[in-house]
Amino acid sequence: MKNGLEDVIAAETQLSDVDGEAGRLIIRGVSLDHLVANGTYEGVAALLLDGLMEKSFDEAELRDWLAQARTRIFGHIKAADAALLALPPVDAMRALIARLPDGEDFDTALSLLAAPAVFLPAILRKQRGKRPIAPDASLPQAADILRMLTGKLPTWEQTAALDTYLVTISDHGLNASTFASRVIASTQAGLTSSVLAAVSALKGPLHGGAPGPVLDMLDAIGTAENAYSWLGEALDRGERLMGFGHRIYRVRDPRADALKGALKPLISIGQVNGARGALAEAVEVAALAILKARKPNRPLDVNVEFYTALLLEALGFPREAFTGVFAIGRTVGWLAHAREQALDGRLIRPRSVYIGPLPAAA
Ligand code: SDX
C-alpha cells in the first residue's frame, strides 16, 4: 500500500510531465519556459484541449468563443441569491459552477473555462458592495478578468503577469485536484461534475489553498530580521511552511522562478511593494536554510505558491480569492485530463487492505 499514492503511476497522459528530479515541467511537449515566453492563456488552453473535444479549433477561435461564453455565463450572476454570493469566494464560485449543465461536449467545456473567470470577480465585487461588471468580449481572458475585478482596463504589464500565472499553473500532472477530476470523469459523470470535484480538492491548504497563508506568514514575520526566529518557531510548533515543499519536486519548482520573473514588470511600474518583495526574498532564503538543517533527508524547496501570493496581491486580488484564481487557470488542465480519462473509458477503482475487526467466530 502506498500511503498518499506516493510514486504510484495511475495513468498514461499526453498532457504534461513533471520531472521532480530535474525540476522541469513540459506541457504537450512544450517546456514551461517556452510557454511562458511565448504563450497566452488561450494558447495553452487550445494546446491542452487539442484533439480531446468533438471539434478542433486554434487559439484565435478559442479566444473568440471563450469571450462569447463569458458574456453568456454572466447571466448566472444576476440569478444568484445573496446568501450564495456571501459564501467564501471559492465556495460561492463552486456553488455557481454546480448550476451549469453537465456534458462532455465542447460547449460545456467552454462554459466551464469561462465560469470561474466571470464568477470570481463578480463575487468579490458583490462582497464589497459593488456591482458586478459584465465581460468585454473584445478582450482576452486575462485582461477581461482584471477589468471585471477593478473596473479599469489593465496595463499590459498587469495582463502579462496574470497571463503568465494562468499559463504556469494550467496543468501539472496528477496533482490531487486533477486526479479528482479524472476519478469523476472515469465514472462518465460529465465535465461539470469533474470540475466541481477538482475545485473541492484544490481548496485544501496542502494543495491550492496555500497562497493566502503565504501572505499571512509574511505579515506575521513582518521584517527580514524576524525571519529565522519566526520560521524556526513555526517548525517547532510542527507547522508546515506554506509555499515550500512538494510531493514530486526534489529541487526548486520551475514555476517559482517563472512567477518571480512575472513580478518584475509589476515592480517596474510600482505595482509591487518593494519592501514586500525584499521580505519575501529574505524569508525564502531563511526558510530554505532552516528546512535544509531540519530535514536533511528531505529536500524542501520553494513551490509555485510562494511567489503566486505576491503576484496575485499585486494584481489586486484579496488573499481569500487566491485559490479561486488558481482554479481559473487550472480548469483547463482538469478538463483536458477528464476528457483523456473519459476517452480511455476505464473506471478508476483502486483496492484497499482491510485492517478492521473480523466477525466474531459463529
Ligand atoms: C501545490 O501536486 C502538485 O503538483 C500540487 C501543485 C499543483 O500544481 O497542483 O504543485 C500545487 O499543491 C503546491 C503545494 C502547496 N502547499 C503548500 O505549500 C503547503 C506546504 N507544503 C506541504 O504541506 C507539503 O510540502 C506538500 C503537501 C506540498 C507535500 O507533502 P508530502 O509530499 O506529502 O510530504 P510529506 O508530508 O511526506 O513531508 C515529508 C517531510 C515531513 O517531515 P517528517 O515528518 O518526515 O519529519 O517533509 C516535511 C514533513 O513534515 N515537510 C515540511 C513541508 N513540506 C514537507 N516541513 C515544513 N514545511 C513544509 N512546507
Side-chain angles (χ1 to χ4, degrees):
M1 190 269 284
K2 288 275 189 176
N3 196 11
L5 298 183
E6 184 151 10
D7 295 332
V8 170
I9 308 289
E12 287 182 341
T13 181
Q14 299 197 31
L15 298 172
S16 60
D17 180 52
V18 179
D19 182 334
E21 299 306 322
R24 190 195 62 179
L25 169 61
I26 56 173
I27 292 179
R28 290 278 204 184
V30 183
S31 73
L32 175 66
D33 293 347
H34 184 85
L35 281 174
V36 165
N38 304 290
T40 61
Y41 166 76
E42 285 83 355
V44 77
L47 185 66
L48 279 164
L49 293 175
D50 183 40
L52 292 169
M53 307 308 303
E54 76 276 15
K55 62 169 49 170
S56 60
F57 45 86
D58 61 20
E59 176 177 349
E61 288 167 324
L62 182 62
R63 182 184 300 113
D64 293 346
W65 293 335
L66 188 50
Q68 293 161 27
R70 289 198 301 273
T71 301
R72 282 199 311 275
I73 283 289
F74 187 67
H76 286 262
I77 290 293
K78 293 176 198 151
D81 58 63
L84 181 151
L85 292 171
L87 291 169
V90 178
D91 297 341
M93 196 169 84
R94 183 177 54 185
L96 286 168
I97 292 170
R99 296 178 169 183
L100 298 178
D102 234 325
E104 289 290 345
D105 58 301
F106 183 59
D107 283 346
T108 301
L110 264 184
S111 297
L112 291 163
L113 288 177
V118 171
F119 291 160
L120 186 63
I123 290 159
L124 294 173
R125 290 184 67 86
K126 287 287 271 187
Q127 293 184 352
R128 283 153 182 77
K130 297 177 182 174
R131 288 168 58 82
I133 295 171
D136 176 342
S138 70
L139 295 174
Q141 184 112 311
D144 206 14
I145 289 166
L146 292 171
R147 191 193 61 84
M148 290 188 281
L149 178 70
T150 65
K152 290 183 288 188
L153 206 55
T155 64
W156 75 264
E157 294 91 348
Q158 292 165 328
T159 299
L162 184 57
D163 230 352
T164 297
Y165 173 72
L166 298 177
V167 166
T168 299
I169 54 97
S170 57
D171 197 45
H172 204 244
L174 278 195
N175 58 84
S177 54
T178 299
F179 185 61
S181 170
R182 287 191 82 121
V183 170
I184 304 303
S186 81
T187 73
Q188 299 181 9
L191 293 173
T192 303
S193 296
S194 286
V195 167
L196 284 173
V199 172
S200 300
L202 189 75
K203 256 185 70 172
L206 294 190
H207 184 18
V214 167
L215 278 196
D216 298 338
M217 177 173 73
L218 293 179
D219 288 346
I221 292 171
T223 64
E225 292 67 38
N226 291 342
Y228 276 91
S229 56
W230 192 94
L231 293 165
E233 287 156 16
L235 292 174
D236 292 342
R237 293 193 295 271
E239 292 170 15
R240 298 290 182 91
L241 304 186
M242 293 291 120
F244 293 89
H246 197 276
R247 175 62 62 80
I248 307 292
Y249 288 121
R250 289 294 168 267
V251 293
R252 193 176 180 76
D253 184 332
R255 299 169 297 173
D257 287 331
L259 296 178
K260 202 172 178 179
L263 274 172
K264 290 197 174 86
L266 295 179
I267 293 170
S268 69
I269 60 171
Q271 193 91 40
V272 177
N273 174 320
R276 190 79 142 168
L279 174 61
E281 298 209 338
V283 168
E284 179 189 342
V285 168
L288 295 181
I290 291 179
L291 287 169
K292 189 174 170 67
R294 295 280 187 105
K295 311 276 178 186
N297 303 323
R298 175 70 182 240
L300 292 167
D301 211 313
V302 67
N303 65 40
V304 64
E305 313 292 31
F306 190 72
Y307 284 101
T308 288
L310 271 75
L311 190 141
L312 296 186
E313 181 185 48
L315 291 175
F317 291 101
R319 64 189 71 181
E320 67 271 19
F322 289 177
T323 304
V325 188
F326 195 158
I328 292 173
R330 183 55 60 85
T331 294
V332 66
W334 295 334
L335 292 172
H337 279 271
R339 285 295 300 151
E340 202 176 48
Q341 187 67 42
L343 292 171
D344 172 82
R346 190 88 173 120
L347 175 70
I348 293 177
R349 200 279 187 220
R351 294 182 58 194
S352 53
V353 62
Y354 177 70
I355 57 170
L358 295 173

